[in-house]
Amino acid sequence: MSQTWSDDQPVYLRSDVAVEPLINSYYAWLHLVSPATAAMNFSKFIAPLLESFLAEPELHLDSARDPRLRGGMFVGLDSDRREEVRALQARLADPAGPTSVLAAGLDALSITLQERASGWDLTDVYDSVPVALRGLVELVYDLEDHARVRLNERMLYRSYFDPGQHCVDLSIADADERPFAMTTPRLPRPGHLQLAVPLSDPRLDELFGAQLRPMPYGRLRSLFELEDHQLTVLDTLLTERPDAGHQRQCPAGETRVRYFGHACLVVQHGDLTVVADPFIADRRAEGRYTHEDLPDRLDWVVITHGHQDHLELGTLLKLRHRIGTIVVPRAGSGALQDPSLKLCLQALGFERVIEVEAGEEIRVGDGRIVACPFVGEHCDLDIGAKATYLIEVPGRTIYVGADNRGLDERVFELTRDLVGPVDMAFLGMECDGAPLLWLYGPLFSRRVDRKLSRSRKLNGSDAVEAMRIVRALGTAEAYVYAMGREEWLGFIMATSYTEDSYQLQQTRVFLDECAAIGIKADQLLGQAEFHVSLVGGEDPA
């Protein structure tokens, strides 16, 4: 066993350690955490995908490496990993396993309702509820007599959530490129330390806390039961010197807004920090902020919705020990496609999570956080767990628009009535997103027509809709998120834009129209910083 330091030597965890939370070897996101959606995804998407890889591994690897097929349903592994994949696939596809049993039960019950529920009393249908779902569901109608299954999601966690399938993969982020997280499992690799622990394990907070506070090497080494080869990898993740970020604390007498890439904003005033949709780069490089640039304490974190590029569990897990309170939108009434963000985060060890609905206000220091409506972007599915936010601190009001659509300007007129005029609005304009089946396909119990799927996309606003938003809000400044163009987002986003891409064309139209009516506007990429001096006016960096 190689030991670089003595047991009493203070050491830090390097800030450029990449953290990948895994469930059944796949990068964790909301639909792989919540038990019902996890069962559908592992049984109906991932197990068949792995079976396809086993049949033609070279085709999968070649396709996964083809930039034109980025984000496609291909497993980016060499054929020599076939036996490991076979074991994983067999476990996930086991018809007697809890994953398959729960997925089969959900499909069967949905089909039963389609066949038997015609507006009449549902009492007799309860006899057909599969054993796997007994006591965990209620059968209901909406006011148009459409029947559906209402899930008791908290009880599903008690029955089916299995931390024994969790793992955390740690490595040095020496490059941005990684295999696409939705399709390629994270099998053990050289230079990676995989800790087979629940994602809620408090020892992870102690480990990641060593990025800010030194810990005796002996204590860090003994946190987990590691074999000699794992200890050798652990040594590569440690350093004797802390990484110094760039002006982590906000200067006195200022309000500061920093853009950390994609949809992530860090708003600071005095000792108060509010972070929106954290997705932070691990590797230090020109033109980006990293974990080194965050303040030590993140008082409030607001999450707009549960898509994997906004509820980014790798970043959140790494920051869990630094977060005070997480604010999430409240899910609807137990619909399969609308899992609870609160239950997801609580299951992963986040202790203080608050749910909000549009119109609710939280006082934070000398300011406030207001939950605002979020319309569209979810393929027209009935999903309640989405919200935009107004973050108000002395000298600045910031609208966190995420991927909101401007389908009805009255929504934003009412939002302005709620929050007042907006100084800065941050919007997503991914106006030609992925189709319905790309993200939600495994949740359907029936076949969905491909043309229908392509008509219902994960779209944000186009230029017309974005102009409706900023006009109705009365915003003075408008900024468009980079929409996944930052290099470190590729393993989650898998976007491939050119200057001729429709999304970027629409962004340019929007920026021109903003300029024509005197709204300061720009598209962001990588990093940006805005200052408001409370004694001498604004100083944008």
Side-chain angles (χ1 to χ4, degrees), residues 176 189 296 321 332 350 393 398 502 514:
D176 289 324
R189 292 163 284 173
D296 292 353
H321 67 285
F350 293 85
V393 290
I398 302 109
Y502 179 67
C514 283

Side-chain angles (χ1 to χ4, degrees), residues 62-186:
D62 290 345
S63 300
R65 289 174 171 172
D66 188 338
R68 297 169 299 177
L69 301 176
R70 196 178 191 191
M73 299 297 108
F74 305 104
V75 177
L77 292 175
D78 290 311
S79 59
D80 61 4
R81 311 303 297 264
R82 191 179 305 183
E83 292 311 308
E84 296 164 274
V85 172
R86 194 182 309 280
L88 175 60
Q89 194 275 340
R91 179 161 56 82
L92 296 179
D94 179 5
T99 292
S100 297
V101 169
L102 180 55
L106 288 164
D107 270 343
L109 184 54
S110 178
I111 292 170
T112 295
L113 280 182
Q114 293 172 37
E115 294 174 347
R116 296 180 57 185
S118 57
W120 295 90
D121 174 51
L122 291 170
T123 300
D124 291 344
V125 185
Y126 278 88
D127 291 339
S128 299
V129 173
V131 173
L133 291 169
R134 291 289 176 91
L136 300 173
V137 300
E138 182 180 7
L139 309 181
V140 297
Y141 286 114
D142 65 17
L143 293 178
E144 304 299 325
D145 288 337
H146 299 136
R148 75 170 183 85
V149 179
R150 174 187 288 153
L151 303 173
N152 187 326
E153 193 178 1
R154 188 177 294 275
M155 296 303 289
L156 278 163
Y157 270 95
R158 291 178 61 87
S159 299
Y160 286 101
F161 185 69
D162 183 8
Q165 305 302 331
H166 294 188
C167 182
V168 178
D169 185 290
L170 307 175
S171 64
I172 296 300
D174 53 9
D176 289 324
E177 192 64 33
R178 305 187 213 175
F180 185 40
M182 289 184 66
T183 58
T184 301
R186 274 33 179 171

Side-chain angles (χ1 to χ4, degrees), residues 231-529:
L231 287 169
T232 300
V233 179
L234 174 65
D235 286 354
T236 68
L237 309 180
L238 305 177
T239 179
E240 295 180 31
R241 301 178 186 83
D243 295 305
H246 176 66
Q247 294 184 350
R248 293 152 53 120
Q249 306 308 318
C250 182
E254 288 189 4
T255 286
R256 182 171 72 182
V257 180
R258 278 182 162 178
Y259 173 70
F260 270 65
H262 195 46
C264 178
L265 299 173
V266 177
V267 180
Q268 294 175 269
H269 173 75
D271 294 332
L272 174 70
T273 300
V274 182
V275 183
D277 287 350
F279 193 165
I280 312 294
D282 296 304
R283 187 175 71 89
R284 170 67 69 184
E286 181 84 23
R288 68 179 69 173
Y289 293 125
T290 68
H291 286 263
E292 300 170 17
D293 301 302
L294 289 169
D296 292 353
R297 174 76 174 175
L298 311 177
D299 302 286
W300 298 86
V301 170
V302 299
I303 303 295
T304 58
H305 59 298
H307 291 160
Q308 58 268 47
D309 54 319
H310 293 262
L311 184 71
E312 206 290 287
L313 296 179
T315 294
L316 286 171
L317 186 65
K318 193 172 180 179
L319 297 175
R320 188 172 63 194
H321 67 285
R322 300 163 71 168
I323 295 173
T325 302
I326 301 184
V327 180
V328 299
R330 181 175 286 112
S333 55
L336 175 62
Q337 74 277 7
D338 193 17
S340 166
L341 278 60
K342 179 178 181 178
L343 291 179
C344 168
L345 290 169
Q346 287 179 331
L348 300 183
F350 293 85
E351 295 181 353
R352 185 162 172 76
V353 185
I354 296 176
E355 286 183 320
V356 292
E357 295 176 350
E360 290 192 70
E361 177 179 315
I362 301 171
R363 301 302 303 184
V364 293
D366 295 329
R368 60 178 177 154
I369 297 170
V370 184
C372 303
F374 185 153
V375 178
E377 209 261 334
H378 289 65
C379 304
D380 299 321
L381 291 172
D382 182 9
I383 292 177
K386 54 184 182 179
T388 59
Y389 298 93
L390 180 89
I391 301 172
E392 182 177 343
V393 290
R396 192 93 319 190
T397 56
I398 302 109
Y399 176 70
V400 180
D403 302 312
N404 210 352
R405 292 191 65 183
L407 297 171
D408 180 356
E409 65 182 298
R410 183 60 179 155
V411 171
F412 303 96
E413 292 170 351
L414 293 172
T415 299
R416 181 175 177 176
D417 291 343
L418 174 69
V419 302
V422 171
D423 296 319
M424 307 172 73
F426 293 84
L427 306 173
M429 290 186 63
E430 171 57 271
C431 47
D432 187 19
L436 169 69
L437 290 176
W438 187 81
L439 196 64
Y440 294 104
L443 306 186
F444 285 87
S445 60
R446 58 179 174 81
R447 181 183 178 277
V448 177
D449 182 85
R450 295 279 174 180
K451 291 182 179 179
L452 182 152
S453 171
R454 288 192 292 270
S455 78
R456 293 167 54 184
K457 294 187 175 183
L458 294 160
N459 283 355
S461 290
D462 61 14
V464 171
E465 294 174 6
M467 285 305 301
R468 286 186 189 137
I469 294 174
V470 298
R471 284 178 182 272
L473 290 178
T475 186
E477 302 175 26
Y479 299 96
V480 180
Y481 298 138
M483 299 180 291
R485 291 191 296 143
E486 290 100 351
E487 293 86 348
W488 71 86
L489 301 167
F491 75 104
I492 291 288
M493 296 290 292
T495 50
S496 299
Y497 293 133
T498 69
E499 287 304 308
D500 294 328
S501 295
Y502 179 67
Q503 298 91 329
L504 298 188
Q505 291 178 11
Q506 286 293 292
T507 298
R508 290 191 290 269
V509 171
F510 170 69
L511 298 180
D512 289 343
E513 292 186 5
C514 283
I517 61 173
I519 296 176
K520 180 180 179 181
D522 199 0
Q523 180 168 25
L524 304 176
L525 181 66
Q527 71 178 67
E529 185 169 304

